[in-house]
Amino acid sequence: TAYNFEWLTDNQKEAYWKKESSFYEGLSVFANEVFQKVPEAVGLNFNASLLAKSKLLEVKILSNDQLSQEEDKSSLENLELREELGYRRRLLAKLESEGSLEKGRLDKLNFEVDSLDKRLTLSWPDYAQQKKNLQITWNQVQQNLEEGEAAIEFVRFENKSDSLIYYNALVLKKGDSQPMLIKLCAEQDLQAISPKKGYSAYYGLVWQPLETALEGIKTIYYAPTGDLYNVPFHAIYAPKGTGDEIVPEKLSRVGNVLYPEYAKTEQDAAYLMDRYTLHQLTSTRYLAMGLKQKATEPVGTNLAMVGAVNYDYLPGTIATPTKNKKGGSENRSSNYAYGKLDYLEGTKTEVDLINQQVSTASWETTVLEGNDATEEKITQLEGKESKEILHLATHGYAFSEFDYQDTTISQNSLKYSYRYSTNPMVRSGLILAGGNWAWTGSDTLARAGAEQNGILTALEVSQLNLKKTKLVVLSACETGLGKIEGNEGTFGLKRGFKLAGVEQLIVSLWSIPDQETQELMSLFYSDLTQTKSPTLSFQKAQQAMREKYPTSPFLWAGFVLVR
């Protein structure tokens, strides 16, 4: 398939891979059945996972990188083709994000995008690097492991005998003659647990079976798949007593939710983050692609921040956002919101405090607040205008696929497409200045002259050029969620920024209260000015929060750094 891919357009690659990926899942089934008698089957399974996991994402990233590397050598014709392709892709993303019903126009644009993509693809003579990256084996991953380190590829497959989905772990350590296969659990058992309420419940399903294989291990590089993307691995612990205690939701005097229901852990819980240094990767093949070396490169000292967004902004007005007087929730998730989204006061404190911290260290900062935090200005921070770090503190959303049998849907709510789009990259995004208008089904912002509607979807993000941005911090809620497509990963903001060229992302798995989010981010940036290492500073910030709130991982475990 690696050879076939070089002749296909993006849409053709996606259709082709959906057909071919079942072969790789079949290797997981084979290994699951024969691994005790045929240990070599586990190595084959590991290699298949390295090739299959996020394959479409990897191919797109590599193709984009080749474009930028060959830009100076390309003919004028190819540069013009690239500009035409970029323009049409962005227009297509914008129309689809806004729920355009102009089928003829969308079909024409799709045809033009495919045609231009095919012409550019055929004009690239050298696919050596892509083929090399897609042929990485477990032996090459192992060569990059030290004593006390392990790489884990999680795999997912359907068992034909009972039609259930199961998960296994493929564990690789230095000196092993073959990776080790360890059976885990059924997907239905994972789905029965809420990620922010099951820290001890997850232990028996996804970690206890691994304990013997990980004896003596201190550092773990792991690549999830399927529903494991939603699991807060660093906050899993082995229960010594009854495990987690569910704390009921806390309401304000007027009945608004201040804190949703959450899980309180045992007083002396030994979390996985206390026992190991955990690194979540898109694929462990990155270990054979220089991941450790890249981690030692210091991040730059120019930072763009977005916060204190005025969701009610209209061009030509000077109104500033005001705090919600109803005493509503300070959650940054828009999934809880019905109607207009509330101003997030904590994001003002967060951005101002971070700005003060990094400015003291002589960092260069760009701050977009209030009416300036528009989609137009934020999407201009790309290419030559890119900053090495992009921090976005605002409302985020990630809607699951809509069940059209739901009879509660109102005609007015159908005016906006985000909750009901068939494209999962539209059902995930960030709300920016003026976004309340489109969010509630109004075209007022567009009629007032704005080019964009204030809602930046993951699809639109994927069309940006952020290769110079080394770290994106999504200080919003549910930014790590989206539609999970088996080995291909989560289709949402995380994928959008990866496609845009960003190597490191801090994302969230659930709605985290405003105050504690601001607290974690302040700790992170304060340390980052000293270490210049996002991975190290994030570990230290999360450890500090863990020590301050030892039985409430709901307040800190939702954020994950992904590479």
Side-chain angles (χ1 to χ4, degrees):
T1 57
Y3 294 94
N4 292 323
F5 260 55
E6 59 191 84
W7 305 107
L8 303 179
T9 67
D10 279 353
N11 287 342
Q12 289 169 343
K13 283 171 185 167
E14 193 167 333
Y16 181 84
W17 184 238
K18 280 185 177 178
K19 179 184 175 185
E20 291 295 318
S21 59
S22 60
F23 169 76
Y24 295 92
E25 186 179 322
L27 291 176
S28 292
V29 176
F30 173 66
N32 181 66
E33 293 173 351
V34 306
F35 73 99
Q36 290 175 321
K37 292 182 179 179
V38 189
E40 295 80 9
V42 184
L44 181 64
N45 194 186
F46 202 109
N47 289 344
S49 184
L50 292 176
L51 173 61
K53 199 164 283 182
S54 296
K55 181 181 176 74
L56 292 174
L57 174 65
E58 186 69 28
V59 170
K60 286 186 182 183
I61 292 172
L62 285 166
S63 298
N64 288 341
D65 283 347
Q66 286 180 336
L67 268 175
S68 61
Q69 289 164 7
E70 296 184 4
E71 193 170 282
D72 295 334
K73 306 173 189 175
S74 297
S75 66
L76 180 61
E77 180 185 0
N78 275 355
L79 289 173
E80 288 174 349
L81 284 175
R82 182 188 174 190
E83 288 177 3
E84 285 183 35
L85 178 60
Y87 168 75
R88 282 169 174 75
R89 277 179 168 165
R90 288 189 185 205
L91 180 57
L92 194 59
K94 181 177 186 293
L95 291 173
E96 191 168 349
S97 293
E98 293 176 359
S100 174
L101 299 176
E102 299 178 65
K103 187 177 184 302
R105 188 182 183 192
L106 292 173
D107 288 345
K108 182 173 182 290
L109 273 171
N110 269 310
F111 176 79
E112 290 170 352
V113 164
D114 278 350
S115 299
L116 289 166
D117 181 62
K118 185 73 172 279
R119 287 173 64 186
L120 274 170
T121 299
L122 294 175
S123 72
W124 296 336
D126 186 9
Y127 267 74
Q129 188 59 49
Q130 176 177 316
K131 291 172 184 174
K132 184 178 177 182
N133 288 350
L134 293 174
Q135 292 170 358
I136 286 170
T137 64
W138 69 262
N139 308 80
Q140 291 167 279
V141 173
Q142 188 184 51
Q143 288 166 16
N144 289 274
L145 292 174
E146 305 296 330
E147 290 293 341
E149 295 183 338
I152 303 176
E153 280 287 333
F154 290 101
V155 295
R156 173 183 182 270
F157 59 94
E158 182 179 354
N159 188 324
K160 302 299 181 185
S161 64
D162 59 11
S163 298
L164 294 179
I165 303 292
Y166 287 91
Y167 289 82
N168 285 345
L170 311 179
V171 181
L172 180 63
K173 296 175 289 186
K174 188 176 179 68
D176 287 349
S177 59
Q178 288 283 339
M180 187 183 303
L181 184 149
I182 297 167
K183 296 189 176 188
L184 298 180
C185 62
E187 187 167 81
Q188 62 182 16
D189 297 328
L190 284 178
Q191 292 176 340
I193 301 170
S194 167
K196 61 182 176 184
K197 300 176 192 173
Y199 312 103
S200 62
Y202 279 127
Y203 176 74
L205 298 178
V206 301
W207 205 262
Q208 188 174 19
L210 298 172
E211 292 281 15
T212 304
L214 296 175
E215 203 168 312
I217 296 297
K218 296 297 181 186
T219 301
I220 298 172
Y221 297 90
Y222 68 100
T225 188
D227 278 82
L228 292 177
Y229 278 106
N230 294 337
V231 174
F233 279 90
H234 43 300
I236 293 175
Y237 71 99
K240 296 176 183 176
T242 56
D244 304 327
E245 172 195 345
I246 302 300
V247 179
E249 68 179 9
K250 182 180 179 182
L251 302 176
S252 68
R253 284 180 295 180
V254 293
N256 290 311
V257 178
L258 295 175
Y259 278 89
E261 183 181 77
Y262 70 97
K264 183 178 180 181
T265 63
E266 293 178 354
Q267 194 68 40
D268 56 349
Y271 300 112
L272 292 189
M273 66 181 289
D274 301 329
R275 301 166 54 195
Y276 308 100
T277 300
L278 297 166
H279 299 277
Q280 183 175 321
L281 307 181
T282 306
S283 166
T284 62
R285 69 168 169 261
Y286 290 172
L287 285 165
M289 293 166 61
L291 178 118
K292 287 185 179 180
Q293 293 85 338
K294 287 179 181 177
T296 62
E297 296 171 4
V299 73
T301 58
N302 57 72
L303 164 68
M305 290 180 288
V306 173
V309 178
N310 181 7
Y311 304 109
D312 298 320
Y313 162 72
L314 275 177
T317 65
I318 57 172
T320 55
T322 55
K323 186 177 180 182
N324 177 28
K325 295 179 180 178
K326 300 176 184 176
S329 169
E330 289 293 318
N331 268 317
R332 299 186 184 185
S333 168
S334 53
N335 290 8
Y336 288 106
Y338 295 91
K340 294 174 70 172
L341 301 174
D342 292 334
Y343 172 66
L344 294 171
E345 184 140 329
T347 64
K348 170 69 174 170
T349 308
E350 178 181 321
V351 167
D352 288 351
L353 185 56
I354 293 170
N355 192 28
Q356 181 183 350
Q357 289 171 326
V358 301
S359 296
T360 303
S362 300
W363 283 29
E364 177 191 328
T365 61
T366 301
V367 181
L368 296 174
E369 292 183 327
N371 294 346
D372 288 327
T374 61
E375 187 177 352
E376 290 88 339
K377 288 187 178 181
I378 290 157
T379 53
Q380 286 168 6
L381 296 172
E382 64 162 348
K384 293 179 181 178
E385 301 302 317
S386 297
K387 306 301 178 185
E388 293 213 41
I389 305 173
L390 179 58
H391 182 97
L392 300 162
T394 185
H395 280 292
Y397 69 93
F399 292 118
S400 57
E401 200 161 3
F402 186 71
D403 179 3
Y404 281 92
Q405 295 179 1
D406 184 347
T407 57
T408 64
I409 179 172
S410 68
Q411 192 60 39
N412 184 58
S413 63
L414 279 170
K415 288 182 181 177
Y416 62 91
S417 63
Y418 308 100
R419 190 184 299 263
Y420 310 110
S421 175
T422 56
N423 188 334
M425 297 287 280
V426 174
R427 295 198 305 268
S428 180
L430 298 167
I431 318 294
L432 302 169
N436 258 340
W437 300 101
W439 189 250
T440 54
S442 167
D443 62 355
T444 301
L445 189 68
R447 287 196 289 163
E451 291 180 21
Q452 303 289 345
N453 66 1
I455 299 179
L456 182 63
T457 68
L459 182 62
E460 290 172 311
V461 168
S462 72
Q463 301 305 311
L464 300 176
N465 175 7
L466 298 175
K467 295 179 185 66
K468 292 181 180 177
T469 301
K470 302 302 180 187
L471 171 69
V472 168
V473 180
L474 296 174
S475 186
C477 285
E478 290 141 1
T479 48
L481 302 184
K483 184 182 181 184
I484 295 171
E485 295 275 8
N487 280 330
E488 197 53 38
T490 307
F491 279 64
L493 278 168
K494 185 165 60 175
R495 185 180 183 85
F497 279 103
K498 278 280 187 182
L499 285 171
V502 178
E503 291 179 0
Q504 301 178 93
L505 288 143
I506 293 177
V507 298
S508 58
L509 302 178
W510 59 70
S511 303
I512 298 168
D514 214 7
Q515 175 58 36
E516 284 76 17
T517 297
Q518 175 250 307
E519 206 173 332
L520 175 67
M521 293 302 166
S522 177
L523 288 166
F524 170 67
Y525 281 102
S526 177
D527 196 73
L528 189 62
T529 60
Q530 306 299 315
T531 67
K532 306 291 193 302
S533 168
T535 51
L536 181 58
S537 291
F538 182 72
Q539 287 166 4
K540 290 165 74 174
Q542 204 157 49
Q543 186 64 41
M545 291 291 285
R546 176 253 181 275
E547 290 169 6
K548 184 173 181 181
Y549 306 103
T551 62
S552 302
F554 161 66
L555 299 174
W556 48 264
F559 279 109
V560 183
L561 189 146
V562 185
R563 289 182 284 165

